[in-house]
């Protein structure tokens, strides 16, 4: 396991499961990542996942999501999953209600935003900004524009220059088809920004820069306090490095089958991939079942 992943995951869950797979404590709340975890590669919620969400509700177990998506990109999940709890957007940089009312929102500090822009350009990554105005891009022909349009179900706003918008960015994204180069950029960006921003890839092809001191782990902590559910009674599901912040703080963490071996090594369980109803199988086997 790489040092960076060890640092993000805290080596392992403090409240891990026992060696025979039995849960240390009952689960009262489930928090799931979205892309690569809860939805299929073509951004659909399967019938099995919707059924698993209903099973959680029937058992009195809460369900919500935290994602690198902007708030509007979470709207499609609310009705199919009957979500009623606060949701995390921008990887925890914003907390919203199911009707997208804002509970909390934070900006990337301007110096970090400008440094990020320079570094993304140096590494040859396409850059996007998310602001209160919407999803801002300079190149409407960028390779991953169609993917993001389908994911968040919104159209990009074309701007000639990001400069005026860097004072109020909720999230900055670098996208690239060169996954190895983007991984190098992630390491360099994290070292350059230090504690000025949170830096992590949400997909192999997306590098996210979000407000400092806020991540999926702090979203878990916030929800734990709001709902009076102790962290050891929370189960989380994810597939990428930016999910490890919540893996570290949850009582049960489940890596989706399409996650890397390094991410799986940080989880207490691994399930099937998101092409094979990994979310539903994890809920039924590990959260509601006996973990056998």
């Amino acid at each position: 396991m790489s040092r960076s992943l060890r640092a993000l995951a805290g080596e392992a869950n403090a409240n891990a499961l026992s060696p025979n797979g039995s849960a240390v404590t009952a689960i009262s709340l489930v928090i799931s990542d979205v892309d690569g975890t809860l939805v299929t590669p073509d951004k659909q919620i399967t019938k099995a996942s919707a059924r698993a969400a209903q099973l959680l509700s029937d058992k009195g177990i809460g369900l919500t999501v935290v994602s690198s998506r902007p708030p509007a990109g979470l709207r499609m999940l609310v009705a199919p999953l009957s979500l009623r709890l606060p949701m995390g957007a921008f990887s925890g940089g914003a907390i919203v209600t199911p009707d997208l009312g804002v509970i909390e929102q934070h900006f990337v500090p301007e110096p970090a935003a400008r440094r990020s822009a320079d570094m993304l350009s140096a590494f040859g990554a396409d850059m996007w900004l998310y602001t209160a105005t919407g999803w801002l891009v300079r190149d409407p022909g960028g390779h991953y524009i169609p993917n993001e349009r389908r994911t968040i179900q919104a159209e990009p706003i074309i701007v000639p220059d990001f400069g005026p918008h860097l004072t109020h960015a909720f999230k900055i994204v670098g996208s690239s088809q060169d996954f190895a180069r983007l991984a190098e950029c992630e390491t360099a960006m994290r070292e350059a920004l230090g504690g000025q921003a949170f830096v992590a890839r949400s997909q192999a092809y997306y590098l996210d820069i979000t407000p400092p001191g806020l991540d999926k782990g702090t979203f878990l902590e916030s929800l734990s306090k709001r709902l009076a559910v102790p962290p050891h009674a929370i189960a989380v599901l994810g597939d990428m490095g930016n999910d490890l912040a919540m893996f570290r703080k949850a009582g049960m963490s489940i890596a989706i089958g399409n996650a890397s071996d390094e991410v799986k090594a940080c989880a207490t369980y691994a399930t099937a991939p998101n092409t094979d109803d990994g979310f539903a199988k994890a809920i039924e086997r590990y959260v509601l079942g006996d973990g056998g």
Side-chain angles (χ1 to χ4, degrees), residues 60-274:
I61 299 173
L63 171 65
T64 192
V65 296
V66 60
S67 171
S68 64
R69 294 184 180 198
L74 303 178
R75 182 184 287 112
M76 62 169 284
L77 308 170
V78 174
L81 300 175
S82 298
L83 299 180
R84 299 180 178 86
L85 299 176
M87 305 181 295
F90 299 130
S91 296
I95 300 177
V96 299
T97 62
D99 63 0
L100 304 190
V102 176
I103 298 174
E104 291 182 21
Q105 61 183 15
H106 304 269
F107 297 127
V108 177
E110 183 180 357
R114 296 195 181 280
R115 184 72 183 276
S116 298
D118 290 342
M119 293 191 68
L120 290 173
S121 176
F123 276 85
D126 291 335
M127 179 174 156
W128 307 334
L129 286 184
Y130 290 89
T131 71
T133 303
W135 167 32
L136 310 185
V137 307
R138 284 183 302 194
D139 178 13
H143 181 79
Y144 289 104
I145 294 287
N147 182 72
E148 187 72 355
R149 180 187 289 116
R150 184 175 69 252
T151 296
I152 69 173
Q153 299 183 2
E155 291 296 319
I157 299 170
I158 313 303
V159 297
D161 179 19
F162 286 134
H165 307 283
L166 291 172
T167 59
H168 51 274
F170 295 122
K171 182 177 75 164
I172 300 167
V173 176
S175 65
S176 175
Q177 297 179 72
D178 188 338
F179 301 167
R181 184 65 170 161
L182 196 63
E184 293 176 7
C185 183
E186 176 186 20
T187 300
M189 186 83 72
R190 190 175 293 138
E191 292 176 353
L193 296 184
Q196 298 178 63
F198 182 75
V199 179
R201 279 176 297 158
S202 57
Q203 300 292 331
Y205 43 84
Y206 288 161
L207 176 59
D208 296 342
I209 298 91
T210 51
L214 297 165
D215 53 36
K216 293 185 178 183
T218 59
F219 172 75
L220 181 151
E221 290 177 328
S222 176
L223 209 58
S224 172
K225 292 176 182 177
R226 289 176 184 276
L227 303 179
V229 175
H232 64 76
I234 300 175
V236 298
L237 298 93
D239 72 309
M240 289 295 295
N242 68 338
D243 296 313
L244 298 181
M246 65 178 178
F247 277 26
R248 179 179 60 203
K249 297 176 180 178
M252 180 191 296
S253 60
I254 304 170
I256 298 300
N258 40 281
S260 69
D261 289 341
E262 291 180 308
V263 170
K264 290 176 183 176
C266 297
T268 48
Y269 278 133
T271 184
N274 68 335

